[in-house]
Amino acid sequence: MLSAQTFGGGPGKMKDYHYTGPVEHRFSPYAFNGGTVLAVAGEDFAIVASDTRLSEGYSIHSRDSPKCYKLTDTTVIGCSGFHGDCLTLTKIIDARLKMYKHSNNKSMTSGAIAAMLSTILYGRRFFPYYVYNIIGGLDEHGKGAVYSFDPVGSYQRDTYKAGGSASAMLQPLLDNQIGFKNMEGVEQVPLTKDKAVQLVKDVFISAAERDVYTGDALRICIVTKEGIDEQTVPLRKD
Amino acid sequence: MALEDICGFTDTPVHAKWFPTSLFEDSISSIHLTDNCTFGLRKPKKSEGNGGIPMDFFIPTLPNSASFNHRPLPSPPAKYSAMVRRPFPLSHGTTTLGFVFQGGVIAAADTRASAGGLVACPAVHKITPIHSHLVVTSSGSGADCMLWERILAREIRLYQLRHRRRLSICGTAKLLSFMLHPFKGTEVCVALTLCGWDKGVTAATNSGPKLIYVCSDGARLQGDVFSVGSGSPYAYGVLDRELRWCLSKEEAISLAREAVFRATHRDAYSGNNVDLFHITAQGWSRRAREDLKEEYYRDMKRREKVAEERKRLIK
């Protein structure tokens, strides 16, 4: 319903149009808090990295909110999307891990955690957790494993995966550098741990340049059989 | 999952508390699907009968926006009308096909999973074995297909453990169709083709190759050739030309591969590689996954050669 003042405000003044009908505002239970997560699996290591910016709309809520969560000694999960759902989901996973440990007297393996997370996410098929998850860790044979999920529980084991706001920018770069895709006549050397860490740092620096929701600092968790090693690297703060 | 059930491992009330659905029990009603598809409020002890859906779904009921909504929200029987708007796209779009011929059943599919305009994963497995003589091709929403295949495999295994014989392909299709029925009208989008070989159980007519299409809308169709997905029209075009009962194994494989290749070429939501399974009386065998990028270059070269030949002849 549009109404306009027919006689203007006098000669030379423009008519004033404004909407005078009812407006329906709908409450959305979701919010997008930004952030990017990345995981790479090597021969005997896995790396999970995330930026630490928590944003909403045009504001930054926090510059120190990492998105990697340690689950067991051999598994780290990265969750990006809606921060409320990330927190609840990690609490649920922690509780289920404890229950498993107490019932079965051993920690859950990375593959088992991935399968469990898939059913947890699908249980909310009709009101999903707005979280993009990536699990990185070592499997039962000590090899690096990365499991990437969509918000409703579809998952797959990969060698590398980027998720979150800058995922569309980072994934092609990883496809080229780690998967050697779209390159002809190149020697496919396996990735060493140091080269992988350097690549992750470079990749996040690029992401922070072009994605507004990524930046501030980078938290890298390196999972090896010795344990989980954490590093923090500063990124662009603007 | 199946082993847990057969050993009678039931969840204790304490355990049940930590399933995600129960976190919201006081404010929002959650619906537990029991057997015979009756619906009731969730009780702490799971009454797990045979045939019940082995999964607890959290169904949200949104608060009544009374001011502008002159139509009252539908009463409980139409429970799925309260839908939460999702801010993200889910994976969809595919080309899968299956056909029957004298040497068994061929099932083929592409490997691309797209979410909106982005390729979420270029190397998905769309054909999953359920048991040694049954393979299912999936199409529709990726998460739905993955979880429903898992549930189907669990139910088939339970049937085998309880009744000491394998359920027929027709029976499997019926079971799947009935399990999906409660979700008709919701956004669950699953279109599976069961491709398998029935071992001669009761009548002679029952055994042999079988191809059945089951979808979440409720369709359950048996046929000789099915193609499902956004690329299916292109695949049907190629299949309808060459498909005959008396094809040899190599010809059938090459035909399936060609159909998927042409569909991936024309359909934006299909692509990357082609997976091929062949099911015979001895079980299923998988052909190595083939990257269609090379095939595209070979096809281009072939076309160039044909064009050159034509130019030479005209001269």
Side-chain angles (χ1 to χ4, degrees), chain A residues 141-156:
Chain A
H141 309 288
K143 287 202 163 85
V146 164
Y147 296 92
S148 62
F149 293 77
D150 85 344
V152 272
S154 164
Y155 80 103
Q156 164 117 352

Side-chain angles (χ1 to χ4, degrees), chain B residues 156 184 225 273:
Chain B
I156 297 301
K184 187 171 158 73
V225 56
N273 311 317

Side-chain angles (χ1 to χ4, degrees), chain A residues 71-72 88-104 106-108 112-113 115-121 123 129, chain B residues 1 4 9 11 14-22 46 55-56 150:
Chain A
L71 296 179
T72 65
T88 306
L89 191 61
T90 45
K91 277 191 201 134
I92 290 174
I93 297 174
D94 277 332
R96 295 283 296 268
L97 285 175
K98 275 204 193 103
M99 278 166 18
Y100 184 95
K101 183 86 194 278
H102 291 144
S103 320
N104 300 285
K106 66 181 182 94
S107 310
M108 274 184 108
I113 297 177
M116 177 185 76
L117 180 56
S118 172
T119 42
I120 293 175
L121 291 171
Y129 289 113
Chain B
M1 286 203 270
E4 207 179 82
F9 183 77
D11 296 313
V14 171
H15 187 106
K17 205 173 175 193
W18 284 101
F19 277 90
T21 52
S22 59
K46 263 211 285 225
M55 190 131 204
D56 285 323
R150 248 175 114 178

Side-chain angles (χ1 to χ4, degrees), chain B residues 25-51:
Chain B
E25 213 168 301
D26 49 334
S27 48
I28 299 168
S29 65
S30 65
I31 292 161
H32 180 220
L33 299 165
T34 59
D35 69 341
N36 302 322
C37 297
T38 54
F39 299 93
L41 274 179
R42 200 180 185 296
K43 297 176 186 49
K45 207 180 263 179
K46 263 211 285 225
S47 47
E48 172 86 80
N50 41 350

